[in-house]
Amino acid sequence: MIFIVILGKSLASNAPIVIRFSHVVAPNTPKGWGAKEFARRVNRELNGKVRVEVFANGTLYRDNEAIEALAAGDLEMAAPSSAKLMGIVPALQLFDMPFLFSDIQSVHNAMDGAIGEEMKEIFLNRNLGIRLLTFWDNAFKQFTCNVHPLLSPDDFKGLKFRIMSSDVLETQMKSLGATGLRLPFQEVYEVLKKGIVDGQENTASNIYTGNFHKVQQYLTFSNHGYLGYLVIINEAFWEKLPGHIQNKLTAILEDVTKNVRKKAQELDRQQSEQIKIYAKTHDRPGISTLNEYQKKNLQKAMLPVYKKFSTIVPERWVSSIKNM
Ligand code: LMR
């Protein structure tokens, strides 16, 4: 009996701590790359004490299922887009606000400064069972459509768009006279192909790796909104980790986050080019880029979103970003 207990204890203490990291996109995207890189570094640098296992393409959990599993302690790590966490922290819809960030630097200023810190505290203070570790980039979103080019607010009227599960995004589409349908990422290709929706908004890397450009005639480089991720871990799991392991994971994550930012910009450029090449070689009529005038018109049409969400997305966050 004593022997069994001792053996059991020694086996348990030698077993690596396993971190399952679930996400819904392809490995060749900013998040896919970041998750692989985090796993590679942890698996190499923690000498077998911690093992990270990455599940890409929604193979373990899809979209919101991952958040529920993580909060319940059935999953250790994930990096959902901020939009998908709005059910538990509505203020995160800050990142969905249309035309809020003038460039990627202003997104980073918000994440790395007081706003990012406040967001981390919200998770800690509300006992959500979820710790926000860091933010990873994807890029700015572009519109695609199968009906006609999307260049002015009128072009959106009466059309249906797949959106992520965010009230701000639903209101954004409504402000253009369109309908936003919340659907999981894994269903986007099929609903576009079958014409269940007319279009969608996403980053070049999600469009390219999801093959959405192959089932959409028109794409507008609009950069109208940002898409990024909250890297989260189950709070109880994190608290049980020894301090030196927490420190090592934090340091690796900090490095990986810096590299994800570079990689995200590189992939955005490359995959935007790949989409343009595909359109050219497949005789597609419509790749457009909004000019300043078209951008201003779209921006103006989306202004009601700000009024509607002024009590949900702190106005001081919005104005500090506008003044950055
Ligand atoms: C989407 O659902 O379009 C994105 O959130 C997918 C992702 O994780 O980038």
Side-chain angles (χ1 to χ4, degrees), residues 40-60:
R40 188 186 69 78
R41 294 269 315 261
V42 171
N43 296 350
R44 197 186 63 194
E45 292 170 38
L46 275 103
N47 305 322
K49 288 199 185 70
V50 180
R51 196 175 70 235
V52 176
E53 294 171 357
V54 178
F55 297 86
N57 284 319
T59 46
L60 190 59

Side-chain angles (χ1 to χ4, degrees), residues 32-252:
W33 185 88
K36 270 191 304 179
E37 181 61 7
F38 176 65
R40 188 186 69 78
R41 294 269 315 261
V42 171
N43 296 350
R44 197 186 63 194
E45 292 170 38
L46 275 103
N47 305 322
K49 288 199 185 70
V50 180
R51 196 175 70 235
V52 176
E53 294 171 357
V54 178
F55 297 86
N57 284 319
T59 46
L60 190 59
Y61 291 107
R62 288 159 33 129
D63 278 326
N64 292 352
E65 294 167 1
I67 300 167
E68 282 161 30
L70 191 139
D74 294 331
L75 172 70
E76 291 75 40
M77 261 180 105
S81 52
S82 53
K84 292 176 189 166
L85 283 155
M86 77 119 225
I88 45 178
V89 182
L92 288 172
Q93 291 174 102
L94 173 81
F95 293 114
D96 298 335
M97 298 302 274
F99 291 109
L100 175 61
F101 300 97
S102 51
D103 55 21
I104 201 72
Q105 188 54 50
S106 77
V107 177
H108 295 163
N109 292 345
M111 290 170 167
D112 299 343
I115 296 176
E117 277 315 307
E118 256 191 78
M119 287 177 174
K120 287 182 184 159
E121 275 162 29
I122 293 175
F123 277 87
L124 283 180
N125 297 340
R126 292 204 195 154
N127 285 328
L128 299 167
I130 298 175
R131 173 176 289 250
L132 167 55
L133 295 172
T134 189
F135 300 90
W136 282 354
D137 275 343
N138 189 323
F140 287 98
K141 292 174 290 183
Q142 323 300 350
F143 280 118
T144 69
C145 175
N146 240 353
V147 180
H148 48 229
L150 300 168
L151 299 172
S152 78
D154 278 350
D155 298 329
F156 289 79
K157 287 218 163 78
L159 302 185
K160 273 199 209 105
F161 287 80
R162 179 271 170 174
I163 53 166
M164 292 183 281
S165 52
S166 148
D167 294 346
V168 161
L169 297 179
E170 194 177 300
T171 307
Q172 170 197 278
M173 299 320 301
K174 219 185 237 169
S175 70
L176 298 171
T179 308
L181 247 75
R182 301 166 194 232
L183 293 167
F185 185 72
Q186 260 61 39
E187 288 175 25
V188 181
Y189 176 82
E190 279 306 309
V191 293
L192 292 172
K193 189 169 174 203
K194 290 184 180 149
I196 294 168
V197 294
D198 303 301
Q200 61 88 46
E201 49 157 27
N202 225 309
T203 61
S205 78
N206 281 349
I207 293 171
Y208 182 70
T209 57
N211 287 321
F212 306 164
H213 61 301
K214 295 190 178 164
V215 288
Q216 294 280 271
Q217 288 291 322
Y218 305 96
L219 182 146
T220 304
F221 284 103
S222 49
N223 290 321
H224 62 280
Y226 171 77
L227 196 161
Y229 307 108
L230 271 67
V231 182
I232 53 175
I233 194 161
N234 174 268
E235 181 65 42
F237 174 81
W238 176 260
E239 275 165 17
K240 271 195 226 120
L241 291 175
H244 69 281
I245 290 190
Q246 286 179 352
N247 292 343
K248 192 76 196 150
L249 292 177
T250 305
I252 292 175

Side-chain angles (χ1 to χ4, degrees), residues 273-285:
E273 274 318 300
Q274 293 299 326
I275 292 170
K276 287 181 194 162
I277 291 169
Y278 183 89
K280 240 187 222 154
T281 51
H282 289 76
D283 209 19
R284 287 284 157 100

